[in-house]
Amino acid sequence: MTRTIKLTVAAIIFGAVLSLTTFAQGSPWIRMMNQGISNVNDVAMHPNGRIWITKTDGTIWSAQNENSNFVQVPAPGFAVRISANVLTCITTNDGRLFYRHESANTWQQINRPNSFVNDVDIGFPHTTVSGTYLAHLWISETIFPIASNNSVKYINAKNDVSEKTLPPQIGVVSYLDYYALQGTFNGSFTSTNSMGFSRVSVKAAGLQNQVWGVGFNGTVWKYVGNSWIRTPAQGMSDVTDAHGGNIWLAGQQQYNGTIWCSTDIGLTFRQDTGEKGFQNLASSYGWSEFQSIYAAGYNGTLWKRAEAPSPCIP
């Protein structure tokens, strides 16, 4: 019987994260054993088939395709999160944001003064009504008050003036326009008036108003019509929005890193096959109906799962 949740996934049994070395026969998850795969922290896949990973030592590696060996790529800092689409983007452990074109060998920094970038994702370009080939780069960041204006004055009933330091805005989600044909960014970041997000994922196919976020508290949200709407899912660490429209989630470590999926745009979620130990997810970008989901394990392994023939096998 298919298990569907409408209230919470936090009822998963607590326990130690299990090893991802063996799965039951017939499992859709396949461990990738390419040379160069070890100590994987995060994973991303470019539309051209190139796979990118960051490792727990902050290095960046890539493979031309799923059958190639991984080779190290020079990094501009200690890389943590990575996303790949029309651009490849990373965040570093000191909160900086970088990008590079697929044909380039250098990383360019996107300056975010007084900000610590937690996560980054970039959507697939789409053609706007005006004919512009546009993509959006999305980030989750913590914004710190500007040093010269980091306090606010209060006047109490006795007309005594006191000062209080403004707190940082944690987990703000913002986006920046990227003109794919020109290869340039335009304007400045636009805030979605949100706080508390650790992860962000944008629709692979570039469909509008379908951005997903995971809170530091493990809740899962979708951005629709310029508003964030909470879904029933809880206890999650990461989210990816696959090309076919399915939403994939990885549970937090205290919930054994289980995988969950939604085929109805986040109305309900169900657990996938019962495997455990995953922390970060990515979906491949292509034009076939069913694509692949990639997952980095808490133990540094890398895994792949085809969405076909049926996502979220109970």
Side-chain angles (χ1 to χ4, degrees):
M1 178 181 295
T2 299
R3 289 172 291 177
T4 302
I5 64 167
K6 293 187 177 180
L7 295 178
T8 178
V9 298
I12 307 170
I13 299 175
F14 283 78
V17 175
L18 302 181
S19 171
L20 289 174
T21 54
T22 58
F23 281 166
Q25 185 176 2
S27 168
W29 287 97
I30 300 173
R31 181 175 175 179
M32 300 182 67
M33 302 294 290
N34 311 49
Q35 183 176 330
I37 294 179
S38 63
N39 303 316
V40 178
N41 175 63
D42 197 16
V43 57
M45 187 170 185
H46 195 277
N48 65 9
R50 180 175 295 278
I51 304 172
W52 293 85
I53 59 174
T54 61
K55 294 192 177 184
T56 54
D57 62 0
T59 57
I60 302 172
W61 297 65
S62 75
Q64 186 173 355
N65 54 58
E66 63 180 30
N67 298 314
S68 304
N69 293 330
F70 281 78
V71 296
Q72 188 172 352
V73 176
F78 192 108
V80 180
R81 295 287 290 172
I82 191 162
S83 171
N85 202 312
V86 63
L87 298 172
T88 299
C89 308
I90 65 164
T91 66
T92 58
N93 67 341
D94 55 1
R96 292 178 295 160
L97 174 65
F98 293 87
Y99 74 93
R100 60 178 278 171
H101 297 276
E102 184 66 12
S103 58
N105 294 318
T106 57
W107 296 92
Q108 304 293 323
Q109 184 174 356
I110 300 177
N111 291 318
R112 296 294 293 153
N114 306 300
S115 166
F116 185 102
V117 180
N118 306 305
D119 194 21
V120 59
D121 199 12
I122 185 165
F124 201 89
H126 63 282
T127 303
T128 64
V129 175
S130 61
T132 302
Y133 201 44
L134 182 68
H136 297 301
L137 182 144
W138 290 77
I139 61 172
S140 162
E141 62 181 339
T142 296
I143 301 174
F144 298 92
I146 299 174
S148 61
N149 188 30
N150 65 348
S151 63
V152 60
K153 294 185 184 326
Y154 293 89
I155 301 178
N156 61 22
K158 296 181 179 181
N159 291 322
D160 294 327
V161 177
S162 62
E163 257 186 41
K164 293 185 179 180
T165 301
L166 295 175
Q169 301 175 58
I170 300 174
V172 176
V173 175
S174 307
Y175 66 89
L176 181 65
D177 291 342
Y178 176 74
Y179 291 94
L181 294 182
Q182 293 86 352
T184 58
F185 291 101
N186 182 62
S188 58
F189 278 88
T190 299
S191 173
T192 62
N193 298 316
S194 59
M195 289 182 64
F197 288 93
S198 63
R199 295 285 184 266
V200 62
S201 178
V202 60
K203 181 73 178 179
L207 299 180
Q208 294 305 287
N209 297 322
Q210 212 170 107
V211 179
W212 298 82
V214 178
F216 283 100
N217 61 359
T219 54
V220 178
W221 302 69
K222 60 181 177 180
Y223 188 64
V224 180
N226 298 321
S227 298
W228 286 98
I229 300 174
R230 183 172 175 176
T231 73
Q234 298 184 60
M236 298 301 170
S237 66
D238 199 17
V239 57
T240 188
D241 191 348
H243 179 86
N246 298 321
I247 312 304
W248 294 81
L249 305 172
Q252 294 174 328
Q253 190 169 11
Q254 63 263 39
Y255 298 125
N256 288 341
T258 49
I259 298 293
W260 296 75
C261 175
S262 173
T263 57
D264 54 13
I265 319 180
L267 295 178
T268 60
F269 294 84
R270 55 184 178 181
Q271 188 176 348
D272 180 53
T273 67
E275 279 78 11
K276 303 177 178 69
F278 298 106
Q279 62 168 328
N280 292 320
L281 301 173
S283 57
S284 62
Y285 299 158
W287 300 110
S288 62
E289 181 180 359
F290 296 106
Q291 301 301 310
S292 296
I293 305 300
Y294 293 82
Y298 281 102
N299 63 357
T301 52
L302 183 62
W303 298 78
K304 172 187 174 183
R305 183 209 196 284
E307 282 204 287
S310 175
C312 297
I313 298 175

